[in-house]
Amino acid sequence: TRFAPSPTGYMHVGNLRTALFAYLVAKSNNGRFLLRIEDTDQERQVEGAVEIIYKTLKETGLQWDEGPDIGGPVGPYIQSQRMGMFKKYAEQLVESGHAYYCFCDKERLDEVRKVQEASGMAPRYDGHCRNLSKEEVAEKLAAGIPYVIRQKVPTEGTVTFHDEVYGDVTVECSTLDDQILIKGDGMPTYNFANVVDDHTMGITHVIRGNEYLSSAPKYNLLYEAFGWEVPTYVHCSPVMRDQHNKMSKRHGDPSYEDLIAQGYLSEAVVNYVALLGWAPGGEREIYSLPELVEAFDIKGISKSPAIFDIDKLKYFNSAYIRAMTPEQFAAVAAPYIRQTVKNPTIDPAQIAPLLQQRCEVLTDIPEKVDFFDALPEYDIALYTNKKSKTDPAVSLEMLKTVRPLLAELPAWDDETLLAAMKDLAERLEVKNAKVMWPVRIAVSGRAVTPGGAVEICRILGRDETLRRIDAGIAKLEG
């Protein structure tokens, strides 16, 4: 199989799914996965886009077996470097009667199009140069008249091709246009270069979006004209934003890069994208890439459009976060913790365990932990908590009682801190929460925090904890 992107920008979700399915088809059949860069549309090319393609495929684990950077037996793997070969293949088709030289200029083609549109006909080439004699062609070539080479599509009968998703598809030849194979500048069109490249590179399975279904009959006619074996086609339904609209960067839908920037894990994105329009059978949803290879079957690809659901991706992402080892999570969480916790004395690895069960995406982290760096402004109304049976007056009393105990603790760890607060609650014959709630508010200024009073005090350290409790007492005394 091959993934053959155009370097025109970021990798959108539909592109990534095509690459993933091509990879899975190859690997599940012990085959090879090729990367080919289709850069013939120079006008739309974006600087740095090839690097984005490499980076995305590497991050997602879709390692190619042959490609521009690593080479292989059927290179070059960049289409613009293969230009010399296409003209001779087109000329071969002219010789065999499956293509012809067309000398129509832009003015004539525009005129034909206007007449067709006025008559309510679909715009298409009218075959004006289709039956020129060899002598006429030779004369025009000798005169240096500009030309293109067009495919000579049969005017009668039908073309049938088989697709693994859509089954047998038959179209009337009369509905097909004589498409251009070689443009006026000698460059191949996308449709022609694709067929020649896929054959010469030994591609056996072509995986692409179903927007190419309408071009497949013309591809088939080209394969047959050359006497080449037609590859297995797998056309995938589009990835949609909703029932009516395809995903589109123009409408603000996220690319792969955007999703990573929004705090999604690459593995979770790959897992979710694999299930957009493909079902493994059974209830299971969480698969690593090697497990996807093991489970993948083309028969599971659906004709129905797949709806991209960000909430569903969030669910996958949180499952992946929870499944990480504490060390793995600490490593990915650290940069996000450091966005708001700048204090060098606080180690992100101490905060990370409080977050692993409490965040769906990594970008949730910075605002959850910013209070570690500096105590935010807060209202004394936070000290009122029905469950803990606290209010500002009760909280003031509790803070004044607990403060000297914390100051004298022989050690500063979870066990010692917890024991001190529980012992105090027992002595005062109140529930633990009546002591811990005021401490938590005083040290965090938040009603909702990752971790409770004990963990927050331990991470802040004795001096900062006592300083914040003193500030809380002062605030409550007003």
Side-chain angles (χ1 to χ4, degrees), residues 2 4-7 36-41 77 79 190 193-194 197:
R2 48 71 169 172
S6 300
R36 182 173 79 224
I37 302 294
E38 300 201 332
D39 63 342
T40 48
D41 190 347
Y77 294 85
Q79 206 167 55
Y190 171 83
N194 239 333
D197 280 344

Side-chain angles (χ1 to χ4, degrees), residues 146-264:
Y147 66 87
V148 299
I149 298 179
R150 289 183 182 271
Q151 183 175 2
K152 198 172 202 175
V153 175
T155 52
E156 295 173 346
T158 59
V159 183
T160 299
F161 68 93
H162 180 75
D163 179 81
E164 292 297 303
V165 178
Y166 290 85
D168 286 339
V169 179
T170 300
V171 296
E172 298 285 333
C173 289
S174 59
T175 64
L176 301 175
D177 195 8
D178 283 0
Q179 68 175 347
I180 294 172
L181 305 179
I182 299 291
K183 295 182 281 190
D185 59 4
M187 296 282 269
T189 56
Y190 171 83
N191 286 328
F192 185 54
N194 239 333
V195 168
V196 174
D197 280 344
D198 283 345
H199 171 73
T200 54
M201 289 182 153
I203 303 301
T204 60
H205 290 64
V206 172
I207 295 90
R208 58 182 167 226
N210 72 352
E211 65 269 26
Y212 292 104
L213 264 175
S214 59
S215 303
K218 292 188 267 195
Y219 295 153
N220 257 39
L221 288 168
L222 287 172
Y223 279 106
E224 286 164 13
F226 281 119
W228 294 342
E229 194 176 334
V230 177
T232 299
Y233 292 130
V234 182
H235 287 90
C236 306
S237 61
V239 179
M240 310 284 282
R241 181 191 326 136
D242 53 42
Q243 296 288 350
H244 308 290
N245 299 290
K246 278 188 182 184
M247 285 187 78
S248 143
K249 186 77 176 156
R250 271 202 315 278
H251 292 108
D253 293 315
S255 66
Y256 168 80
E257 296 253 329
D258 293 332
L259 291 172
I260 298 307
Q262 288 164 18
Y264 291 91

Side-chain angles (χ1 to χ4, degrees), residues 88-343:
K88 76 169 194 242
Y89 280 109
E91 286 165 349
Q92 192 180 318
L93 291 178
V94 173
E95 285 298 311
S96 65
H98 294 98
Y100 59 93
Y101 292 99
C102 170
F103 300 93
C104 295
D105 58 23
K106 187 178 181 299
E107 285 69 32
R108 183 183 179 279
L109 294 174
D110 287 344
E111 199 54 47
V112 169
R113 189 175 292 110
K114 277 180 199 162
V115 171
Q116 289 172 335
E117 283 171 356
S119 314
M121 295 163 64
R124 54 185 291 179
Y125 182 62
D126 64 351
H128 180 72
C129 294
R130 189 180 164 106
N131 297 309
L132 292 175
S133 67
K134 281 194 171 182
E135 292 72 29
E136 287 173 296
V137 170
E139 199 179 297
K140 288 178 185 292
L141 289 175
I145 297 172
Y147 66 87
V148 299
I149 298 179
R150 289 183 182 271
Q151 183 175 2
K152 198 172 202 175
V153 175
T155 52
E156 295 173 346
T158 59
V159 183
T160 299
F161 68 93
H162 180 75
D163 179 81
E164 292 297 303
V165 178
Y166 290 85
D168 286 339
V169 179
T170 300
V171 296
E172 298 285 333
C173 289
S174 59
T175 64
L176 301 175
D177 195 8
D178 283 0
Q179 68 175 347
I180 294 172
L181 305 179
I182 299 291
K183 295 182 281 190
D185 59 4
M187 296 282 269
T189 56
Y190 171 83
N191 286 328
F192 185 54
N194 239 333
V195 168
V196 174
D197 280 344
D198 283 345
H199 171 73
T200 54
M201 289 182 153
I203 303 301
T204 60
H205 290 64
V206 172
I207 295 90
R208 58 182 167 226
N210 72 352
E211 65 269 26
Y212 292 104
L213 264 175
S214 59
S215 303
K218 292 188 267 195
Y219 295 153
N220 257 39
L221 288 168
L222 287 172
Y223 279 106
E224 286 164 13
F226 281 119
W228 294 342
E229 194 176 334
V230 177
T232 299
Y233 292 130
V234 182
H235 287 90
C236 306
S237 61
V239 179
M240 310 284 282
R241 181 191 326 136
D242 53 42
Q243 296 288 350
H244 308 290
N245 299 290
K246 278 188 182 184
M247 285 187 78
S248 143
K249 186 77 176 156
R250 271 202 315 278
H251 292 108
D253 293 315
S255 66
Y256 168 80
E257 296 253 329
D258 293 332
L259 291 172
I260 298 307
Q262 288 164 18
Y264 291 91
L265 298 168
S266 191
E267 297 85 350
V269 174
V270 168
N271 189 160
Y272 177 62
V273 167
L275 300 180
L276 288 173
W278 173 74
E283 297 298 307
R284 183 178 170 193
E285 290 185 306
I286 304 294
Y287 289 86
S288 66
L289 188 57
E291 288 168 340
L292 284 170
V293 170
E294 197 69 31
F296 196 78
D297 188 335
I298 290 171
K299 293 185 181 69
I301 297 176
S302 168
K303 283 184 204 173
S304 306
I307 309 270
F308 181 83
D309 180 350
I310 199 78
D311 291 327
K312 184 75 171 170
L313 174 57
K314 212 168 262 189
Y315 155 76
F316 273 83
N317 204 65
S318 58
Y320 270 82
I321 284 175
R322 282 153 189 56
M324 291 174 125
T325 65
E327 294 74 22
Q328 286 170 331
F329 179 73
V332 298
Y336 293 90
I337 294 170
R338 273 287 176 243
Q339 282 178 29
T340 53
V341 183
K342 312 281 190 191
N343 186 338

Side-chain angles (χ1 to χ4, degrees), residues 7 35-42 45 50-51 54 67-72 74-88 187-188 193 196-197 200-201:
L35 175 61
R36 182 173 79 224
I37 302 294
E38 300 201 332
D39 63 342
T40 48
D41 190 347
Q42 297 287 323
Q45 200 163 321
V50 173
E51 287 67 32
Y54 287 162
D69 56 336
I70 54 177
V74 292
Y77 294 85
I78 296 177
Q79 206 167 55
S80 60
Q81 295 172 11
R82 300 171 67 82
M83 285 301 108
M85 61 191 278
F86 297 109
K87 186 97 177 273
K88 76 169 194 242
M187 296 282 269
V196 174
D197 280 344
T200 54
M201 289 182 153

